[in-house]
């Protein structure tokens, strides 16, 4: 059965900030500290599905 | 004297891309973080940066110091990383005396002689180039030699060792073979390429459009459909781009057609009915090869458009411009990009100038009409 999640409580931005209290300001650090490292292929490659790969 | 930085930076939409020369990796950073990165790289102390950040964000100094220290460690890791070479040294390997298969391939006016030790080596290369095969002739420009010894595939050109690859890294051997081939065809060295992209390149004779997408999304099928509708196949699976003119260069290999595309393509290409079928058991794939319709393998054309293409059964046509940063995230891990600093800068500038789109389709005609609009700048 599909799980139903019902939001019974509307939380204003003000209340939310109050709830997380002093921790809220650290979310800025988490946001700017989130980054992605992309690795290009280290050598030229054909698609792994190329001829020969299944032998 | 100012120290030459290990990093390049490029703003793309609301992010900054940083490239590390030591590791040839690309980082996608928030702009604030990129500024800290730059400061750390020009020798500004952690304390100085952390106290500025602390004031700016009204945070305790110990938190911002931790943050900046972690970034500094990341930079140090990137600077000390070295590429693991896929090549193995030529350790007193004796070339076989006899080669079971010797094939000649003609690409424009250039003839390549390729020596294959056995059927195993033949199947690594020949199916994709069979359409270029000619009868034995005495005059040939280059001799490529391929043989296996223990678990390695060895590759020589004109008796010079090029490399050896473990049998589980066959796609890197095939990549090197393809790279050497295009370098001979277009008379360029490795440093003269911006990169090689895992894509399909289609042209209308004036410009090229690159098609990208995960395996199974219908890239090659779309390419085959487009070449049956007035477009030219410049390259499939292996798309080289030159560093000077930033143009897509043609690559003469065949288009690989999976069994589940045959029903769609047989009416357009009756020759597929009787063409050889190759079974890749490990990948559970059955493939046939379709000759590209390109007549001039020396051709090269500019490219301004990148299209992520996806065939989805029963889908309405969806066509959207997509965020460049999202396209960048998908493009880079699948591509070989030149590790040379100047080339990387050119790649970043070229990428920032592209238009990036996404097409999802189930009706071939709609896809072809949309691609025609991209070519005609009718969007």
């Amino acid at each position: 059965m599909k799980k139903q999640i019902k939001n019974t409580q509307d939380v204003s931005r003000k209340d939310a900030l109050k709830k997380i209290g002093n921790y809220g300001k650290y979310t800025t650090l988490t946001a700017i500290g989130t980054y992605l490292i992309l690795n290009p292929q280290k050598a030229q490659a054909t698609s792994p599905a190329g001829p020969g790969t299944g032998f | 004297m100012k120290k030459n930085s290990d990093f390049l930076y490029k703003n793309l939409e609301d992010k900054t891309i940083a490239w590390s020369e030591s590791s040839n990796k690309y980082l996608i950073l928030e702009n604030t973080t990129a500024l800290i990165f730059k400061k750390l790289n020009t020798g500004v102390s952690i304390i100085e940066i952390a106290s500025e950040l602390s004031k700016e964000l009204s945070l305790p100094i110990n938190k911002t110091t931790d943050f900046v220290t972690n970034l500094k460690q990341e930079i140090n890791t990137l600077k000390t990383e070295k590429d693991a070479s896929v090549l193995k040294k030529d350790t007193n390997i004796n070339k076989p005396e006899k080669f079971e298969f010797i094939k000649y391939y003609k690409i424009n006016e250039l003839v390549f002689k390729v020596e294959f030790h056995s059927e195993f080596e033949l199947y690594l290369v020949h199916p994709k180039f069979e359409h270029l095969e000619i009868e034995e002739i005495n005059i040939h420009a280059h001799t490529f030699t391929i043989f296996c010894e223990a678990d390695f595939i060895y590759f020589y050109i004109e008796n010079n060792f090029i490399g050896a690859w473990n049998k589980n890294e066959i796609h890197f051997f095939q990549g090197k073979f393809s790279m050497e081939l295009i370098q001979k065809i277009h008379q360029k060295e490795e440093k003269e390429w911006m990169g090689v992209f895992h894509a399909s390149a289609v042209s209308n004779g004036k410009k090229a459009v690159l098609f990208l997408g995960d395996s199974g999304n219908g890239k090659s099928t779309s390419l085959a459909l487009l070449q049956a509708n007035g477009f030219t196949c410049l390259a499939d699976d292996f798309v080289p781009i030159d560093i000077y003119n930033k143009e897509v260069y043609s690559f003469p290999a065949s288009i690989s057609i999976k069994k589940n595309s045959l029903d769609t393509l047989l009416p357009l290409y009756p020759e597929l009915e009787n063409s050889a079928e190759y079974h890749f058991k490990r990948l559970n794939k059955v493939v046939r090869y379709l000759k590209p319709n390109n007549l001039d393998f020396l051709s090269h054309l500019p490219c301004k458009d990148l299209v992520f293409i996806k065939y989805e059964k029963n889908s309405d046509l969806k066509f959207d411009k997509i965020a460049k940063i999202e396209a960048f995230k998908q493009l880079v891990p699948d591509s070989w990009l030149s590790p040379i600093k100047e080339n990387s800068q050119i790649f970043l500038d070229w990428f920032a100038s592209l238009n990036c789109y996404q097409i999802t389709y189930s009706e071939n005609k709609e896809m072809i009409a949309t691609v025609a609009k991209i070519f005609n700048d009718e969007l």
Side-chain angles (χ1 to χ4, degrees):
Chain A
M1 204 179 80
K2 211 176 166 188
K3 204 177 167 186
Q4 297 265 328
I5 302 167
K6 211 173 175 186
N7 192 0
T8 51
Q9 203 183 344
D10 282 331
V11 182
S12 71
R13 180 180 153 79
K14 203 177 159 192
D15 288 340
L17 285 173
K18 216 167 157 186
K19 268 191 171 174
I20 54 173
N22 211 22
Y23 292 101
K25 58 188 179 185
Y26 300 131
T27 54
T28 319
L29 272 190
T30 313
I32 64 167
T34 307
Y35 52 85
L36 191 68
I37 301 178
L38 300 171
N39 259 320
Q41 297 277 338
K42 296 299 172 202
Q44 302 86 16
T46 59
S47 162
T53 42
F55 293 90
Chain B
M1 201 176 77
K2 200 181 161 192
K3 195 177 160 279
N4 209 355
S5 171
D6 186 56
F7 287 87
L8 290 175
Y9 301 92
K10 180 81 189 172
N11 287 324
L12 194 66
E13 292 163 346
D14 61 341
K15 303 272 195 263
T16 302
I17 296 172
W19 175 76
S20 148
E21 186 176 14
S22 315
S23 62
N24 186 20
K25 286 184 180 179
Y26 291 82
L27 281 82
I28 299 178
L29 303 163
E30 296 298 327
N31 293 336
T32 317
T33 319
L35 283 175
I36 300 171
F37 236 74
K38 280 183 194 170
K39 284 182 186 168
L40 285 168
N41 277 310
T42 46
V44 182
S45 73
I46 292 177
I47 295 295
E48 199 178 318
I49 300 169
S51 70
E52 259 177 47
L53 197 62
S54 158
K55 277 180 209 149
E56 208 177 300
L57 303 176
S58 315
L59 288 171
I61 183 84
N62 63 332
K63 294 288 173 195
T64 54
T65 308
D66 283 355
F67 176 77
V68 181
T69 309
N70 283 338
L71 271 187
K72 179 78 184 165
Q73 275 169 358
E74 186 64 67
I75 291 172
N76 288 342
T77 313
L78 286 168
K79 279 185 174 173
T80 50
E81 272 178 33
K82 284 268 174 284
D83 287 355
S85 174
V86 291
L87 299 188
K88 186 176 167 276
K89 289 247 154 55
D90 182 14
T91 46
N92 299 321
I93 288 291
N94 291 321
K95 267 171 66 179
E97 281 172 17
K98 232 183 125 195
F99 287 85
E100 211 177 314
F101 297 93
I102 293 174
K103 301 278 184 189
Y104 294 83
Y105 303 101
K106 192 174 180 193
I107 303 170
N108 280 30
E109 292 310 308
L110 214 55
V111 176
F112 293 80
K113 176 185 180 186
V114 185
E115 303 172 320
F116 302 98
H117 184 220
S118 71
E119 201 174 26
F120 175 82
E121 293 87 345
L122 180 77
Y123 277 113
L124 299 181
V125 171
H126 184 67
K128 281 214 121 189
F129 300 98
E130 194 175 358
H131 60 288
L132 302 165
E133 190 180 354
I134 55 162
E135 295 288 314
E136 179 179 347
I137 59 166
N138 290 327
I139 304 158
H140 53 268
H142 302 286
T143 305
F144 288 16
T145 306
I146 303 156
F147 62 91
C148 288
E149 172 73 40
D151 277 338
F152 282 82
I153 298 153
Y154 285 80
F155 179 28
Y156 286 73
I157 296 179
E158 267 77 82
N159 283 323
N160 296 314
F161 176 73
I162 301 298
W165 292 262
N166 193 292
K167 280 185 183 170
N168 58 27
E169 286 186 323
I170 279 171
H171 57 295
F172 283 117
F173 154 69
Q174 288 164 328
K176 191 68 180 174
F177 182 94
S178 304
M179 193 69 184
E180 292 292 338
L181 202 64
I182 58 158
Q183 288 180 183
K184 301 273 186 265
I185 300 168
H186 299 294
Q187 299 188 347
K188 285 179 183 297
E189 294 177 42
E190 190 173 283
K191 65 181 183 199
E192 296 174 276
W193 300 102
M194 181 165 86
V196 174
F197 298 90
H198 184 208
S200 300
V202 176
S203 99
N204 65 348
K206 290 181 191 135
K207 61 179 187 176
V209 171
L210 281 195
F211 290 88
L212 296 114
D214 290 340
S215 175
N217 274 358
K219 244 184 351 245
S220 296
T221 313
S222 312
L223 171 65
L225 287 167
L226 290 164
Q227 87 160 15
N229 282 276
F231 295 98
T232 305
C233 163
L234 262 190
D236 181 38
D237 194 44
F238 194 87
V239 181
I241 298 190
D242 173 88
I243 198 66
Y244 305 119
N245 56 19
K246 289 149 272 176
E247 292 189 350
V248 172
Y249 276 60
S250 108
F251 177 60
S254 305
I255 307 165
S256 53
I257 302 297
K258 289 182 196 127
K259 196 168 189 171
N260 55 10
S261 301
L262 279 180
D263 286 347
T264 310
L265 297 176
L266 271 173
L268 300 166
Y269 299 103
E271 67 268 31
L272 278 172
E273 180 84 63
N274 298 316
S275 64
E277 199 167 70
Y278 296 88
H279 294 251
F280 304 125
K281 286 184 190 130
R282 196 162 55 90
L283 295 156
N284 198 20
K285 266 180 195 157
V286 180
V287 169
R288 293 179 193 203
Y289 289 96
L290 178 69
K291 200 174 131 177
N293 66 348
N294 189 5
L295 296 174
D296 178 11
F297 295 118
L298 287 175
S299 59
H300 47 91
L301 290 163
C303 171
K304 284 274 158 224
D305 306 285
L306 211 69
V307 181
F308 288 86
I309 199 154
K310 190 176 182 182
Y311 171 84
E312 205 174 273
K313 208 177 171 186
N314 301 326
S315 165
D316 288 336
L317 179 85
K318 287 179 216 149
F319 176 65
D320 299 294
K321 203 159 185 173
I322 57 166
K324 287 183 190 182
I325 207 88
E326 292 308 314
F328 191 83
K329 283 183 200 169
Q330 292 191 57
L331 178 79
V332 170
D334 239 7
S335 312
W336 171 79
L337 297 167
S338 174
I340 300 165
K341 194 174 186 178
E342 293 73 21
N343 294 9
S344 182
Q345 182 69 62
I346 293 168
F347 163 66
L348 287 169
D349 294 341
W350 171 77
F351 187 86
S353 74
L354 293 177
N355 303 309
C356 302
Y357 304 101
Q358 187 170 303
I359 298 179
T360 306
Y361 75 99
S362 61
E363 281 296 322
N364 300 336
K365 276 184 189 162
E366 290 178 346
M367 180 274 289
I368 293 161
T370 310
V371 171
K373 280 184 189 169
I374 299 175
F375 272 106
N376 298 331
D377 293 320
E378 287 170 5
L379 299 163

